[in-house]
Amino acid sequence: MFLLLFCVTAGYAQLDDFGASARVAGLANAYTGLADDVYAVYYNPAGLGQQMRREAAGSYSPVYYQFDDGTSLVNAYAFITQPLVMQDKLLLTAGLGYNQFAISNLYQNDTFIFAAGKDLFEILKLPLFVGGTVKMFSRNFAQ
């Protein structure tokens, strides 16, 4: 049993999440309950129900510029959200996202995200938000 727990912990360290924004990192990745901006596409799509305007964000960051062997790590994000309004009434807020993590020409992980969120206050008279996400992953390894 101990060996199994040790292996799971070691495997987790290989897939470390670098975070999608400075705000999220500043909150020590405790952002899921607060998600009220464009980064809700990545962290908590229900938070999109709080957005009343279009937002866009992106980042490109070389995590480590270059190792001794010429290898470099890159983490890039792009997100956009759009409230869908009909007759001055917010139906829902939809969002698109893209994330890329790459290690030079050795490995590339691409994630395409579609998310939507809605405020259910008008229906239930409770401060309740609901959301959903569809993600498509693509991994490429060097041959």
Side-chain angles (χ1 to χ4, degrees):
M1 182 69 164
F2 176 74
L3 181 61
L4 179 64
L5 292 174
F6 179 73
C7 292
V8 171
T9 304
Y12 174 76
Q14 296 174 6
L15 302 173
D16 197 13
D17 183 13
F18 291 102
S21 80
R23 180 181 183 202
V24 175
L27 291 167
N29 284 336
Y31 179 75
T32 304
L34 178 65
D36 60 354
D37 60 8
V38 70
Y39 294 105
V41 170
Y42 186 77
Y43 288 99
N44 182 3
L48 292 173
Q50 302 177 62
Q51 291 189 6
M52 305 304 266
R53 64 182 189 276
R54 180 182 316 142
E55 291 186 27
S59 70
Y60 176 84
S61 55
V63 181
Y64 302 107
Y65 286 100
Q66 202 165 19
F67 292 106
D68 293 339
D69 64 353
T71 305
S72 61
L73 295 160
V74 173
N75 198 26
Y77 290 92
F79 300 105
I80 187 167
T81 59
Q82 174 66 49
L84 304 175
V85 179
M86 182 185 289
Q87 299 175 352
D88 296 331
K89 194 174 202 180
L90 180 64
L91 297 177
L92 60 86
T93 302
L96 295 173
Y98 173 73
N99 168 234
Q100 180 188 70
F101 177 76
I103 303 173
S104 293
N105 295 327
L106 302 174
Y107 172 78
Q108 183 171 328
N109 181 19
D110 296 310
T111 306
F112 299 92
I113 306 166
F114 172 75
K118 176 155 179 61
D119 182 358
L120 297 178
F121 185 77
E122 290 186 18
I123 299 168
L124 302 175
K125 303 300 182 209
L126 295 170
L128 182 65
F129 299 91
V130 64
T133 302
V134 175
K135 294 183 179 182
M136 185 181 84
F137 297 97
S138 171
R139 278 202 179 129
N140 298 314
F141 295 92
Q143 302 261 340

